[in-house]
């Protein structure tokens, strides 16, 4: 794990699939210390925005945003105790546990997402770790999503040997598995698994050749140094993730974090900017929490280099802004939708 006072290391060489999972090419990746990332977070706001915009423009069309639609294909009843999550059995949140959705219902949702303009479809399941039979069933759902002409993503919890390969063979483009916080804050939020469990699943996904979607949550009571620690962990994954969701905590009644004091919204914008600077070719997603954010803060997130959003009236179990109001906001900002591709 990244050390706060780790010396600046030489760039490492690796095979980065940032252009496309199939067109891997060797590029040097900078190693970031927590202190360097903290220094970025502490820059004057204008200087930070300028750096983030400069990096964004050097690597992407700065006016293109990805629309990714979420579907909870298996809701609630999760045995983990993640303090932010309405789907944990440990908390009384009113979320009812359901069974895994079938192929037809998923096809219908995927086609509706596509018709509304989404290009990525992400299926979430409230599992600690799927069983072999769950993976087989989700593989059928992945095939269904691919047949609709969408990029596919799944987030199912910890994977075992062979799971990532089965999902890859079904056509899975991305696997989402978040580190969620800095290592030294993790135990305050989750006790039923540890950081290394998350890293192990990420390695399995990477080794299977599936693109990695990995980010975290901001606003859980962590310090600025711990936000830097989270970004350092993400940016120092080798290679860093192709897709980086930065979630703002959605406070859900019944969870231990329901009464968490509000984070300064500008601190969220700063975190997006630092994700962009440290992971220049990743799709950085302005993820959960937009509903409570307001349009001006979202616009600042796009200035800071976010180039993807969750699109659709619902996240997994909580509301997201209505699709038409998002399209209206993007139009007013002159942003087009599509699949942002990093420049060479
Ligand atoms: N169970 C799987 C897992 O934890 O990896 C997949 C589903 S889980 C709901 C996916 C991610 O949703 C979590 O890692 C976390 O980042 C995010 N999440 C869950 N509840 C959230 C909340 N209240 N606010 C923001 N993000 C949340
Ligand atoms: C991610 O980083 N955020 C999404 C997705 N990956 C699966 C989930 C957000 C969930 C917000 C709370 C809810 O709706 O249950
Ligand atoms: Fe379960 Fe995932 Fe929610 Fe944690 S975040 S309780 S693992 S569904």
């Amino acid at each position: 794990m990244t050390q706060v006072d780790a010396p600046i290391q030489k760039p490492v060489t690796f095979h980065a699939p940032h252009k496309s999972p199939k067109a891997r090419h060797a590029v040097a990746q900078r190693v970031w210390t927590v202190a360097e990332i903290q220094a970025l977070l502490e820059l004057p706001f204008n200087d930070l925005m300028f750096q983030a915009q400069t990096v964004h423009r050097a690597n992407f069309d700065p006016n293109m945003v990805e629309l990714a639609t979420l579907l909870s294909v298996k809701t609630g009843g999760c045995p983990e105790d993640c303090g932010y999550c309405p789907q944990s059995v440990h908390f009384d949140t009113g979320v009812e546990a359901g069974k895994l959705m079938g192929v037809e219902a998923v096809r219908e949702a995927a086609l509706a997402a596509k018709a509304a303009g989404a290009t990525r479809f992400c299926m979430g399941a409230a599992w600690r770790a799927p069983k072999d039979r769950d993976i087989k069933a989700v593989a059928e759902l992945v095939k269904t999503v691919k047949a609709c002409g969408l990029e596919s993503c799944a987030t199912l919890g910890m994977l075992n040997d062979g799971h990532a390969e089965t999902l890859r063979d079904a056509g899975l483009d991305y696997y989402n598995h978040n580190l969620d916080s800095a290592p030294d804050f993790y135990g305050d939020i989750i006790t039923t698994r540890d950081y290394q469990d998350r890293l192990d699943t990420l390695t399995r996904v990477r080794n299977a050749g599936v693109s990695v979607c990995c980010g975290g949550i901001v606003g859980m009571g962590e310090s600025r140094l711990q936000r830097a620690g989270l970004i350092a962990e993400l940016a120092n994954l080798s290679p860093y993730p192709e897709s980086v969701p930065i979630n703002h905590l959605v406070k859900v009644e019944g969870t231990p974090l329901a009464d968490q004091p509000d984070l300064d919204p500008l601190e969220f914008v700063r975190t997006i900017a630092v994700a962009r600077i440290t992971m220049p070719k990743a799709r950085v997603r302005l993820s959960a929490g937009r509903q409570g954010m307001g349009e001006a803060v979202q616009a600042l997130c796009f200035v800071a280099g976010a180039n993807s959003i969750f699109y659709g009236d619902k996240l997994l179990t909580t509301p997201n802004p209505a699709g038409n109001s998002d399209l209206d906001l993007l139009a007013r900002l002159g942003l087009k939708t599509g699949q942002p591709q990093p420049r060479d």
Side-chain angles (χ1 to χ4, degrees):
M1 286 173 206
T2 309
Q3 299 298 310
V4 174
D5 54 356
I8 298 173
Q9 296 170 36
K10 286 206 182 107
V12 290
T13 301
F14 65 95
H15 296 282
H18 287 285
K19 196 167 180 197
S20 114
K22 283 167 194 100
R24 293 177 182 231
H25 56 290
V27 291
Q29 177 170 320
R30 174 173 174 175
V31 175
W32 292 88
T33 65
V34 176
E36 287 171 321
I37 294 177
Q38 195 188 16
L40 285 174
L41 283 172
E42 283 172 2
L43 282 173
F45 192 76
N46 284 346
D47 292 349
L48 179 58
M49 290 303 107
F50 181 71
Q51 268 203 46
Q53 263 289 303
T54 305
V55 170
H56 193 192
R57 284 168 182 275
N59 289 286
F60 284 101
D61 174 344
N63 295 310
M64 182 180 284
V65 172
E66 173 189 56
L67 302 181
T69 293
L70 277 172
L71 178 67
S72 180
V73 293
K74 194 272 163 200
T75 304
C78 183
E80 302 268 33
D81 69 352
C82 313
Y84 45 79
C85 185
Q87 303 198 68
S88 164
V89 284
H90 298 269
F91 321 129
D92 190 5
T93 62
V95 171
E96 281 182 27
K99 286 200 177 134
L100 182 64
M101 283 173 69
V103 162
E104 280 318 313
V106 169
R107 191 194 323 276
E108 209 177 292
L111 288 173
K114 190 172 186 206
T119 55
R120 191 192 293 202
F121 194 75
C122 179
M123 295 178 280
W127 285 316
R128 168 178 163 78
K131 300 186 173 66
D132 290 354
R133 64 162 189 268
D134 298 325
I135 291 290
K136 266 180 130 180
V138 173
E140 292 309 307
L141 302 181
V142 169
K143 286 182 197 162
T144 305
V145 169
K146 290 302 289 176
C148 295
L150 287 155
E151 267 189 344
S152 59
C153 178
T155 181
L156 315 171
M158 292 182 276
L159 297 183
N160 235 313
D161 284 348
H163 287 175
E165 288 76 6
T166 303
L167 294 168
R168 174 200 65 203
D169 293 345
L172 188 71
D173 295 303
Y174 292 83
Y175 192 80
N176 167 247
H177 199 65
N178 293 337
L179 289 177
D180 280 322
S181 79
D184 63 346
F185 190 60
Y186 206 70
D188 290 14
I189 303 294
I190 301 156
T191 68
T192 49
R193 59 166 188 262
D194 62 29
Y195 217 71
Q196 192 58 48
D197 293 327
R198 299 302 268 186
L199 294 169
D200 291 348
T201 289
L202 291 170
T203 301
R204 288 193 160 98
V205 172
R206 182 58 83 200
N207 288 345
V210 175
S211 290
V212 170
C213 174
C214 181
I217 309 179
V218 178
M220 298 192 291
E222 74 284 346
S223 64
R224 181 179 264 184
L225 182 61
Q226 287 167 329
R227 281 188 283 283
L230 165 66
I231 299 295
E233 287 294 327
L234 297 169
N236 290 336
L237 290 171
S238 186
Y240 61 75
E242 285 78 11
S243 172
V244 180
I246 304 294
N247 295 278
H248 188 293
L249 174 69
V250 179
K251 295 182 216 173
V252 180
E253 200 68 39
T255 64
L257 295 181
D259 299 320
Q260 186 59 41
D262 286 340
L263 179 79
D264 175 357
L266 297 180
E267 195 62 24
F268 183 79
V269 178
R270 283 178 182 274
T271 310
I272 296 261
V274 170
R276 167 53 64 217
I277 293 166
T278 56
M279 293 171 275
K281 293 187 187 298
R283 289 186 195 167
V284 174
R285 185 168 310 106
L286 161 54
S287 302
R290 289 196 300 114
Q291 180 79 323
M293 209 171 274
E295 292 186 334
V297 175
Q298 293 182 61
L300 281 175
C301 290
F302 295 126
V303 174
N307 60 354
S308 177
I309 58 170
F310 284 129
Y311 171 69
D313 302 1
K314 211 171 171 193
L315 292 164
L316 291 174
T317 65
T318 64
N320 196 41
N324 55 6
S325 65
D326 278 342
L327 294 181
D328 176 65
L329 174 63
L330 295 177
R332 280 157 51 222
L333 295 172
L335 294 171
K336 54 185 179 276
T337 62
Q339 291 173 290
Q341 298 297 342
R343 303 187 213 281
D344 284 336

